[in-house]
Coordinates of all heavy atoms in Angstrom, one line a residue:
D307 N -0.9 -15.7 -20.3 CA 0.3 -16.3 -19.7 C 1.6 -15.9 -20.4 O 1.8 -16.2 -21.5 CB 0.1 -17.9 -19.8 CG 1.0 -18.6 -18.8 OD1 1.5 -17.9 -17.9 OD2 1.3 -19.8 -19.0
P308 N 2.4 -15.2 -19.7 CA 3.6 -14.6 -20.3 C 4.6 -15.7 -20.7 O 4.6 -16.8 -20.1 CB 4.2 -13.7 -19.3 CG 3.7 -14.2 -18.0 CD 2.4 -14.8 -18.3
E309 N 5.5 -15.4 -21.6 CA 6.6 -16.4 -21.9 C 7.5 -16.6 -20.8 O 8.0 -17.7 -20.5 CB 7.3 -15.9 -23.2 CG 6.5 -15.9 -24.4 CD 7.3 -15.4 -25.6 OE1 8.5 -15.2 -25.5 OE2 6.7 -15.3 -26.7
S310 N 7.8 -15.5 -20.1 CA 8.7 -15.6 -18.9 C 7.9 -16.1 -17.7 O 7.0 -15.5 -17.3 CB 9.4 -14.3 -18.6 OG 8.4 -13.3 -18.4
K311 N 8.3 -17.2 -17.2 CA 7.5 -17.9 -16.1 C 8.0 -17.5 -14.8 O 9.2 -17.3 -14.6 CB 7.5 -19.4 -16.3 CG 7.0 -19.9 -17.6 CD 5.6 -19.6 -17.8 CE 5.0 -20.2 -19.1 NZ 3.6 -20.0 -19.3
V312 N 7.1 -17.4 -13.8 CA 7.5 -17.2 -12.4 C 8.5 -18.2 -11.9 O 9.5 -17.9 -11.2 CB 6.3 -17.1 -11.5 CG1 6.6 -17.1 -10.1 CG2 5.4 -15.9 -11.9
E313 N 8.2 -19.5 -12.3 CA 9.1 -20.6 -11.8 C 10.6 -20.4 -12.2 O 11.5 -20.8 -11.5 CB 8.6 -21.9 -12.4 CG 7.2 -22.4 -11.9 CD 6.1 -21.7 -12.6 OE1 6.3 -20.9 -13.5 OE2 4.9 -22.0 -12.3
D314 N 10.8 -19.7 -13.4 CA 12.1 -19.5 -13.8 C 12.9 -18.6 -12.9 O 14.2 -18.6 -12.9 CB 12.1 -18.9 -15.2 CG 11.5 -19.9 -16.3 OD1 11.5 -21.1 -16.0 OD2 11.1 -19.4 -17.3
E315 N 12.2 -17.7 -12.2 CA 12.9 -16.8 -11.3 C 13.1 -17.3 -9.9 O 13.7 -16.6 -9.1 CB 12.1 -15.4 -11.3 CG 12.0 -14.7 -12.6 CD 13.4 -14.2 -13.1 OE1 14.3 -14.1 -12.2 OE2 13.5 -14.0 -14.3
L316 N 12.5 -18.4 -9.5 CA 12.6 -18.9 -8.2 C 14.0 -19.2 -7.7 O 14.4 -18.8 -6.6 CB 11.7 -20.1 -8.0 CG 10.2 -19.9 -8.0 CD1 9.5 -21.2 -7.9 CD2 9.8 -19.0 -6.8
P317 N 14.9 -19.7 -8.6 CA 16.3 -19.9 -8.1 C 17.0 -18.7 -7.8 O 17.8 -18.6 -6.8 CB 16.9 -20.6 -9.4 CG 15.8 -21.3 -10.1 CD 14.6 -20.4 -9.9
Y318 N 16.7 -17.6 -8.5 CA 17.3 -16.3 -8.2 C 16.9 -15.8 -6.8 O 17.7 -15.3 -6.0 CB 17.0 -15.2 -9.2 CG 17.6 -13.9 -9.0 CD1 18.8 -13.5 -9.5 CD2 16.9 -13.0 -8.2 CE1 19.3 -12.2 -9.3 CE2 17.4 -11.7 -7.9 CZ 18.6 -11.3 -8.5 OH 19.1 -10.1 -8.2
V319 N 15.5 -15.9 -6.6 CA 15.0 -15.5 -5.3 C 15.5 -16.3 -4.2 O 15.9 -15.7 -3.1 CB 13.4 -15.6 -5.4 CG1 12.8 -15.4 -4.0 CG2 12.8 -14.6 -6.4
E320 N 15.6 -17.6 -4.4 CA 16.2 -18.5 -3.3 C 17.6 -18.1 -3.0 O 18.1 -18.2 -1.8 CB 16.0 -19.9 -3.7 CG 14.6 -20.4 -3.7 CD 14.4 -21.7 -4.4 OE1 15.4 -22.2 -5.0 OE2 13.3 -22.3 -4.4
E321 N 18.4 -17.7 -4.0 CA 19.8 -17.3 -3.8 C 19.9 -16.0 -3.0 O 20.7 -15.9 -2.1 CB 20.5 -17.2 -5.1 CG 22.0 -16.8 -5.0 CD 22.6 -16.5 -6.3 OE1 22.0 -16.9 -7.4 OE2 23.7 -16.0 -6.3
K322 N 19.1 -15.0 -3.4 CA 19.2 -13.7 -2.8 C 18.5 -13.6 -1.5 O 18.9 -12.8 -0.6 CB 18.6 -12.7 -3.8 CG 19.4 -12.5 -5.1 CD 20.8 -12.0 -4.9 CE 21.5 -11.8 -6.2 NZ 22.9 -11.3 -6.0
F323 N 17.5 -14.4 -1.3 CA 16.7 -14.3 -0.1 C 16.8 -15.7 0.6 O 15.8 -16.4 0.8 CB 15.2 -14.0 -0.4 CG 15.0 -12.6 -0.8 CD1 15.2 -12.2 -2.1 CD2 14.5 -11.6 0.1 CE1 15.0 -10.9 -2.6 CE2 14.3 -10.3 -0.3 CZ 14.5 -9.9 -1.6
E324 N 18.0 -16.0 1.1 CA 18.1 -17.2 1.9 C 17.2 -17.2 3.1 O 16.7 -18.2 3.6 CB 19.6 -17.4 2.3 CG 20.5 -17.7 1.1 CD 21.9 -17.9 1.5 OE1 22.1 -18.2 2.8 OE2 22.8 -17.9 0.7
D325 N 17.1 -16.0 3.7 CA 16.2 -15.7 4.8 C 15.1 -14.8 4.3 O 15.3 -13.7 4.0 CB 17.0 -15.1 6.0 CG 16.1 -14.8 7.2 OD1 14.9 -15.3 7.2 OD2 16.6 -14.2 8.2
L326 N 13.9 -15.3 4.3 CA 12.7 -14.6 3.8 C 12.1 -13.7 4.8 O 11.1 -13.0 4.5 CB 11.7 -15.5 3.2 CG 12.1 -16.2 1.8 CD1 11.1 -17.3 1.5 CD2 12.0 -15.2 0.7
R327 N 12.6 -13.7 6.0 CA 12.0 -12.9 7.1 C 12.1 -11.4 6.7 O 13.1 -10.9 6.3 CB 12.7 -13.2 8.4 CG 12.0 -12.6 9.6 CD 12.8 -13.0 10.9 NE 12.8 -14.4 11.1 CZ 11.9 -15.1 11.7 NH1 10.8 -14.5 12.2 NH2 12.1 -16.4 11.9
I328 N 10.9 -10.7 6.9 CA 10.9 -9.3 6.6 C 11.7 -8.5 7.6 O 11.4 -8.6 8.8 CB 9.4 -8.8 6.5 CG1 8.7 -9.5 5.3 CG2 9.4 -7.3 6.3 CD1 7.2 -9.2 5.2
P329 N 12.7 -7.8 7.2 CA 13.5 -7.1 8.2 C 12.7 -5.9 8.9 O 11.9 -5.3 8.3 CB 14.7 -6.5 7.4 CG 14.1 -6.4 6.0 CD 13.1 -7.5 5.9
E330 N 13.0 -5.7 10.2 CA 12.4 -4.6 10.9 C 13.3 -3.4 10.7 O 14.0 -3.0 11.6 CB 12.2 -5.0 12.4 CG 11.2 -6.2 12.6 CD 11.0 -6.5 14.0 OE1 11.5 -5.8 14.9 OE2 10.4 -7.5 14.3
N331 N 13.2 -2.8 9.6 CA 14.1 -1.7 9.2 C 13.4 -0.4 9.0 O 13.8 0.4 8.2 CB 14.8 -2.1 7.9 CG 13.9 -2.4 6.7 OD1 12.7 -2.5 6.9 ND2 14.4 -2.6 5.6
F332 N 12.3 -0.2 9.8 CA 11.7 1.2 9.7 C 12.6 2.3 10.2 O 13.4 2.1 11.1 CB 10.4 1.2 10.6 CG 9.9 2.6 10.8 CD1 9.2 3.2 9.8 CD2 10.1 3.3 12.0 CE1 8.7 4.5 10.0 CE2 9.7 4.6 12.1 CZ 8.9 5.2 11.1
Q333 N 12.5 3.4 9.5 CA 13.2 4.6 10.0 C 12.4 5.8 9.5 O 11.6 5.7 8.5 CB 14.6 4.7 9.5 CG 14.8 4.6 8.0 CD 16.3 4.6 7.7 OE1 17.0 5.6 7.8 NE2 16.8 3.4 7.2
L334 N 12.5 6.9 10.1 CA 11.8 8.1 9.7 C 12.2 8.5 8.3 O 13.4 8.4 7.9 CB 12.1 9.3 10.7 CG 11.7 9.1 12.1 CD1 12.1 10.4 12.9 CD2 10.2 8.9 12.2
S335 N 11.2 8.9 7.5 CA 11.4 9.2 6.1 C 11.4 10.7 5.9 O 10.4 11.3 6.1 CB 10.3 8.5 5.3 OG 10.3 7.1 5.5
P336 N 12.5 11.2 5.4 CA 12.5 12.6 5.0 C 11.6 12.9 3.9 O 11.3 12.0 3.1 CB 14.0 12.9 4.6 CG 14.5 11.5 4.2 CD 13.7 10.5 5.0
P337 N 11.1 14.1 3.7 CA 11.5 15.3 4.5 C 10.6 15.6 5.7 O 10.8 16.6 6.4 CB 11.2 16.4 3.5 CG 10.0 15.9 2.7 CD 10.2 14.4 2.6
V338 N 9.7 14.7 6.1 CA 8.8 15.0 7.2 C 9.4 14.5 8.5 O 9.5 13.3 8.8 CB 7.4 14.4 7.0 CG1 6.5 14.7 8.2 CG2 6.8 14.9 5.7
F339 N 9.9 15.4 9.4 CA 10.4 15.1 10.7 C 9.6 15.8 11.8 O 9.5 15.3 12.9 CB 11.9 15.5 10.8 CG 12.8 14.6 10.0 CD1 13.3 15.1 8.8 CD2 13.1 13.4 10.5 CE1 14.1 14.3 8.1 CE2 14.0 12.6 9.7 CZ 14.5 13.0 8.5
S340 N 9.0 16.9 11.5 CA 8.3 17.7 12.5 C 7.2 18.5 11.8 O 7.2 18.6 10.6 CB 9.2 18.5 13.3 OG 9.8 19.5 12.5
D341 N 6.4 19.1 12.6 CA 5.3 19.9 12.0 C 5.9 21.2 11.3 O 5.2 21.7 10.4 CB 4.3 20.4 13.1 CG 3.5 19.2 13.6 OD1 3.6 18.2 13.0 OD2 2.8 19.4 14.7
D342 N 7.1 21.6 11.6 CA 7.6 22.8 11.0 C 8.9 22.5 10.2 O 9.9 23.2 10.2 CB 8.0 23.8 12.1 CG 9.0 23.3 13.1 OD1 9.2 22.1 13.1 OD2 9.5 24.1 13.9
D343 N 8.8 21.3 9.5 CA 10.0 20.9 8.7 C 10.2 21.9 7.6 O 9.5 22.8 7.3 CB 9.8 19.5 8.1 CG 8.7 19.4 7.1 OD1 8.8 20.1 6.0 OD2 7.7 18.7 7.3

Side-chain angles (χ1 to χ4, degrees):
D307 195 19
E309 294 182 4
S310 55
K311 303 292 185 181
V312 170
E313 293 82 359
D314 297 338
E315 296 295 339
L316 289 175
Y318 179 93
V319 171
E320 291 168 351
E321 178 186 350
K322 296 295 183 180
F323 289 80
E324 293 182 16
D325 182 4
L326 287 165
R327 192 177 297 272
I328 296 175
E330 296 182 7
N331 56 352
F332 168 77
Q333 56 184 290
L334 296 179
S335 300
V338 181
F339 289 102
S340 64
D341 291 350
D342 57 350
D343 66 61

